[in-house]
Amino acid sequence: MGCFRANHTSIKAAVLIQRWYRRYMARLEIRRRYTWNIFQSIEYAGEQDQLQVSLFFSLRLLFHILCPADLISQLLDPVIDPWLDRETCYKTISIPESYTGPRISFPLSVSDTNALLRAFKEQQVLHARYVLQLLYETKKLLKQMPNVVHLSTSYTKEITICGDLHGRLDDLLLIFYKNGLPSAETPYIFNGDFVDRGKKSIEVVILLFAFLLLYPDHMHLNRGNHEDHIMNLRYGFTKEVMQKYKTHGREILQLFQDVFSLLPIATIIDAKILIVHGGVSDQTDLELLSSIERHKVKSALRFPRRSLEQLDIGQSHRLGKRLRSTDGSRPSSSRSIYESHRTPNSGASTSSSSSSSSSCSSLCSPRTPSCISPQTYPSSPSSPYNVLQVPFLDSLSSVPLPSPPQQELEWKQIVDILWSDPKTQEGCSPNTFRGGGCYFGPDVTRRLLHQHGLQLLIRSHECKQEGYEICHNGQVITIFSASNYYEEGSNRGAYIKLGKELIPRFYQYQVSRTTRRLTLTQRVCAAEGSALRALKEKLFAHRSELMTGFQQYDPNATGCVSVGEWAKVLASVLRLDLPWRTLRPHLVHLAPDGSVEYQSCFEDVGTGAHLPQVAPNLAKTLFRYRTDIEIIFNIIDKDHSGLISIEEFRHTWRLFSAHLGVAIDDRAIDELARSIDFNKDGSIDFTEFLEAFRVGNIKRAG
């Protein structure tokens, strides 16, 4: 009897322990998921900001607003330097005897690639002459390659497919260590996004190009959405090149623009597996994709000029004052164009998931439910059905929408391939969260694969916690090869190996000296802390709009609102798809009555630096739109020196004001320009100035 009681007690204890463990793991999983959502939401919001700025410049180029057209054309169009087209351009650059880095010769040999590997492991930098020569040779090779590369497994045992690397040299070296260096026996496909975000982008892309030159039949590179000179301005590659190559950095960047635009767009293995960087849409046409002159699309963010020029702005009519945002979202001028081409029978409304017959290629805003698109207006019977709403000065203008020219159709094909993401719902709709391309459902995947006799789509473009993900009933695989992408321990990297049977096998890894020593709880806590800091910085940057929203629910100025009202304001201002009620304990304090003390949102966050003397309203603008100003400044700063003239400084502010619809007093700008021109030489160190307005975590004493 005693034995039975003991066993019964043991069973109850085991059940309690299991119940506690399951609850603990469930809470840990919730934390892990919202941490991931924070990282991803902030990342995609940043990408969307870049798309909006690019669209803004394209429209200003068309309408000649605020700046001369030749100025904006100079800012966005790729720079053409005849010197770079000469085969001997790099030969005029001498290599000093004091240079201790790797020395290579062309055509490259295995000893040259080994020398590069050793040098980069030892933090050495390849001389600018070698970089230019390597890029020139890569450009010659890529010119001979098709848009869609066809491979066969009949000549090799296995093909290795890698996803985004984003300048993570350690990940690339680990892949080579685990899987072997590229060779005839170990062929590779790298599926885009080699650069940006990481600190070793130049080393990563040099190694990939070097192996491409060494094994052109066994090393294959697809273009990603970050192989784009406009994206490089924001996400670090441009800055990295200029810091490492101060003398010839501009020439190197110009050659990178050409090389990136020549990268193949897709790879097909055994006529069964399609590999692209982003995804597809209901309009993806592999035959059209094969015939595109891909080198003309220097940036997928730049809308084709000929398409814009066809819009008859001279005959447009005003539709009313542009709506100003009251909840912190951007005005109409920052929204997108060309969601779809509508016919009179399509009606005036669109659903979030358009039918499979509509075009979903777009550059659009996650802050609004839909993009600026051709619409009909019942109140105006005389208005044509096929019109485009274009922001023009302080109004929306209705512009007749022509049939899309060939150049636009080709551009849309590339945008969809580089920017799209899969979704679980059927259909195809604009990718409003990321800002470019589309969301494509299982039916879109199934139809495309069936149409071309394919069985699998492999893509990258999205960070996955395990390094890969399978969706659309096993017909779509996402592969991502940059481990610790958001934070130490945040995700694994992975690559795929395919043999003749075409069954994918996944290999995971994680580059870290510390992660293996951390428990699961410690890894989640570290990533959660980093994500919450980034979110608090975003709250501080939007402080003015948030306070306005909170005060609308707090007419008696008590400093408190309900939890529901607090969550509603954050959702409407930040436009981030986050579980605000779940995050509330980490972001604000509660009053004794259970209401939210909303000013506690901004505790422990600030600039951490001495601010220049600027008007209060201007300071708020700088905190809120610092990144947008920096993007425009980087475009204007053509030599990437960090210095711009007083007149360029004024142009920056005028463009910024027009882009976001923010009123800025000219006198305040002139006074600001004079105050930060410290040595009175007519040049402004704008980068240093913006650093004072970078939001960060404040470390408090005690």
Side-chain angles (χ1 to χ4, degrees):
M1 189 70 178
C3 182
F4 173 78
R5 289 176 179 172
N7 288 338
H8 181 69
T9 303
S10 299
I11 292 172
K12 287 182 65 177
V15 170
L16 288 173
I17 291 172
Q18 289 177 348
R19 186 180 300 169
W20 171 86
Y21 180 75
R22 285 195 295 267
R23 289 178 178 174
Y24 173 79
M25 292 303 295
R27 288 194 294 267
L28 203 62
E29 178 63 16
I30 290 172
R31 292 169 61 190
R32 190 177 68 92
R33 289 190 181 186
Y34 71 59
T35 295
W36 191 262
N37 287 342
I38 293 171
F39 280 133
Q40 198 168 66
S41 296
I42 293 176
E43 176 193 1
Y44 290 174
E47 287 185 349
Q48 204 280 332
D49 285 341
Q50 179 70 70
L51 289 165
Q52 290 178 342
V53 172
S54 302
L55 172 64
F56 159 77
F57 271 106
S58 295
L59 292 176
R60 286 301 180 273
L61 174 60
L62 171 63
F63 301 140
H64 304 181
I65 298 171
L66 295 177
C67 280
D70 58 347
L71 170 63
I72 298 181
S73 179
Q74 179 186 0
L75 298 179
L76 279 186
D77 287 337
V79 180
I80 300 174
D81 190 340
W83 178 79
L84 289 173
D85 287 331
R86 296 200 298 269
E87 185 172 352
T88 58
C89 65
Y90 49 83
K91 294 182 180 179
T92 61
I93 302 174
S94 60
I95 301 177
E97 294 182 2
S98 59
Y99 171 68
T100 59
R103 295 178 182 268
I104 57 178
S105 59
F106 293 83
L108 292 178
S109 64
V110 173
S111 62
D112 292 316
T113 54
N114 288 339
L116 290 174
L117 286 166
R118 287 193 303 269
F120 293 158
K121 288 178 183 178
E122 297 171 1
Q123 313 297 320
Q124 293 179 337
V125 176
L126 184 64
H127 195 274
R129 170 173 172 164
Y130 294 131
V131 175
L132 286 169
Q133 188 172 2
L134 184 142
L135 290 174
Y136 181 79
E137 296 295 334
T138 304
K139 181 179 176 181
K140 285 199 302 182
L141 175 62
L142 290 176
K143 280 183 176 179
Q144 305 170 23
M145 299 183 68
N147 295 345
V148 181
V149 177
H150 290 263
L151 303 179
S152 172
T153 58
S154 61
Y155 302 105
T156 182
K157 291 182 179 179
E158 291 180 310
I159 296 177
T160 303
I161 304 165
C162 300
D164 300 33
L165 286 168
H166 280 300
R168 265 71 168 186
L169 179 62
D170 287 344
D171 284 293
L172 179 61
L173 296 178
L174 183 58
I175 292 171
F176 287 162
Y177 174 78
K178 290 170 67 71
N179 193 61
L181 293 175
S183 66
E185 294 74 31
T186 314
Y188 278 89
I189 301 171
F190 284 88
N191 198 25
D193 278 13
F194 321 126
V195 302
D196 281 338
R197 302 188 190 276
K199 296 180 180 179
K200 298 286 185 178
S201 291
I202 188 75
E203 288 82 359
V204 167
V205 77
I206 285 174
L207 283 174
L208 295 179
F209 288 167
F211 281 110
L212 175 66
L213 292 174
L214 183 59
Y215 299 109
D217 295 327
H218 308 289
M219 182 71 166
H220 308 280
L221 308 178
N222 282 347
R223 184 177 182 178
N225 66 308
H226 278 264
E227 277 68 64
D228 185 306
H229 69 97
I230 295 181
M231 290 292 285
N232 300 155
L233 284 169
R234 178 186 178 105
Y235 290 103
F237 183 59
T238 297
K239 186 175 182 179
E240 179 186 336
V241 171
M242 293 305 299
Q243 286 177 342
K244 293 179 179 177
Y245 297 98
K246 293 181 172 60
T247 303
H248 298 286
R250 185 173 182 180
E251 291 83 3
I252 291 172
L253 284 171
Q254 290 174 29
L255 262 181
F256 266 121
Q257 290 180 18
D258 290 340
V259 173
F260 285 165
S261 68
L262 287 167
L263 287 167
I265 303 166
T267 302
I268 296 178
I269 300 176
D270 289 347
K272 292 297 181 183
I273 297 180
L274 173 65
I275 304 171
V276 298
H277 176 72
V280 296
S281 77
D282 54 4
Q283 298 295 303
T284 297
D285 183 339
L286 295 184
E287 292 182 3
L288 175 58
L289 203 62
S290 298
S291 64
I292 290 173
E293 295 182 278
R294 66 182 187 274
H295 66 278
K296 291 185 177 180
V297 185
K298 299 292 185 184
S299 173
L301 306 187
R302 179 75 188 278
F303 198 80
R305 186 185 302 179
R306 290 182 183 177
S307 299
L308 286 172
E309 288 171 350
Q310 291 194 19
L311 303 179
D312 188 4
I313 191 66
Q315 296 181 5
S316 64
H317 61 275
R318 299 197 169 217
L319 297 179
K321 292 293 183 180
R322 182 173 57 190
L323 296 176
R324 295 292 178 183
S325 172
T326 58
D327 59 5
S329 62
R330 293 196 176 175
S332 299
S333 64
S334 65
R335 297 177 191 166
S336 169
I337 57 179
Y338 285 20
E339 176 185 347
S340 62
H341 287 182
R342 182 168 294 198
T343 62
N345 295 329
S346 65
S349 62
T350 57
S351 64
S352 60
S353 180
S354 61
S355 68
S356 61
S357 63
S358 66
S359 172
C360 298
S361 177
S362 63
L363 301 178
C364 49
S365 169
R367 298 174 176 82
T368 54
S370 64
C371 307
I372 290 184
S373 60
Q375 296 186 29
T376 57
Y377 295 89
S379 60
S380 180
S382 62
S383 298
Y385 281 93
N386 292 335
V387 296
L388 173 67
Q389 301 256 341
V390 177
F392 182 64
L393 296 179
D394 61 347
S395 307
L396 282 176
S397 294
S398 177
V399 181
L401 187 63
S403 299
Q406 185 69 16
Q407 187 178 9
E408 180 196 327
L409 293 175
E410 295 177 354
W411 171 80
K412 284 185 176 184
Q413 292 286 319
I414 293 179
V415 170
D416 286 340
I417 289 293
L418 299 184
W419 279 90
S420 296
D421 294 311
K423 64 172 183 177
T424 56
Q425 297 82 7
E426 301 280 303
C428 187
S429 59
N431 193 333
T432 54
F433 192 51
R434 194 187 284 271
C438 72
Y439 290 120
F440 61 98
D443 58 324
V444 176
T445 299
R446 188 167 53 251
R447 187 163 50 249
L448 179 83
L449 296 180
H450 176 74
Q451 178 183 352
H452 296 281
L454 302 167
Q455 64 185 37
L456 179 65
L457 168 63
I458 297 178
R459 43 92 62 180
S460 303
H461 195 44
E462 287 184 287
C463 181
K464 299 299 179 182
Q465 289 180 329
E466 297 301 320
Y468 72 94
E469 184 178 81
I470 303 173
C471 63
H472 289 189
N473 301 313
Q475 291 188 312
V476 173
I477 295 175
T478 298
I479 189 72
F480 196 86
S481 300
S483 64
N484 308 303
Y485 180 63
Y486 292 123
E487 179 62 35
E488 187 79 14
S490 64
N491 66 285
R492 296 180 180 182
Y495 57 87
I496 298 172
K497 299 193 76 170
L498 282 170
K500 294 180 181 180
E501 70 283 359
L502 298 182
I503 298 175
R505 291 184 289 122
F506 301 94
Y507 294 80
Q508 298 169 291
Y509 56 87
Q510 194 154 27
V511 175
S512 177
R513 295 182 178 89
T514 60
T515 301
R516 291 181 181 179
R517 296 195 296 266
L518 298 178
T519 65
L520 175 61
T521 302
Q522 289 172 326
R523 291 200 298 271
V524 171
C525 286
E528 180 187 47
S530 178
L532 290 172
R533 283 193 298 273
L535 186 56
K536 287 181 178 180
E537 291 168 10
K538 199 164 188 68
L539 292 178
F540 187 89
H542 291 75
R543 180 172 183 170
S544 179
E545 297 96 320
L546 289 171
M547 286 297 295
T548 299
F550 293 143
Q551 288 165 2
Q552 289 179 354
Y553 290 104
D554 183 25
N556 298 324
T558 63
C560 296
V561 294
S562 70
V563 173
E565 291 166 344
W566 172 82
K568 184 176 181 180
V569 171
L570 263 63
S572 63
V573 171
L574 300 181
R575 303 283 177 161
L576 298 177
D577 186 19
L578 294 175
W580 293 112
R581 291 175 181 267
T582 302
L583 293 171
R584 193 271 311 157
H586 304 283
L587 300 176
V588 288
H589 305 312
L590 290 183
D593 62 356
S595 60
V596 172
E597 297 175 349
Y598 52 79
Q599 295 207 46
S600 61
C601 283
F602 315 112
E603 289 182 357
D604 302 324
V605 183
T607 61
H610 177 69
L611 295 180
Q613 293 297 316
V614 300
N617 290 338
L618 186 55
K620 290 181 180 179
T621 300
L622 280 162
F623 284 128
R624 169 65 181 87
Y625 298 114
R626 181 194 178 282
T627 303
D628 298 271
I629 301 170
E630 188 171 19
I631 295 170
I632 295 175
F633 161 71
N634 284 334
I635 295 175
I636 286 180
D637 180 24
K638 293 297 287 184
D639 62 358
H640 311 292
S641 65
L643 300 174
I644 58 175
S645 67
I646 298 288
E647 187 59 30
E648 288 175 329
F649 182 78
R650 293 192 184 101
H651 272 313
T652 298
W653 282 99
R654 290 170 190 160
L655 289 167
F656 162 74
S657 178
H659 171 46
L660 295 170
V662 177
I664 302 175
D665 182 41
D666 288 339
R667 286 186 304 172
I669 299 305
D670 288 339
E671 291 175 3
L672 180 60
R674 286 192 295 270
S675 68
I676 61 179
D677 181 14
F678 300 112
N679 56 5
K680 307 303 177 186
D681 64 349
S683 295
I684 296 172
D685 188 340
F686 200 38
T687 303
E688 182 178 338
F689 167 71
L690 282 178
E691 280 300 309
F693 294 90
R694 186 182 296 278
V695 178
N697 192 54
I698 297 176
K699 295 181 180 179
R700 300 188 183 277

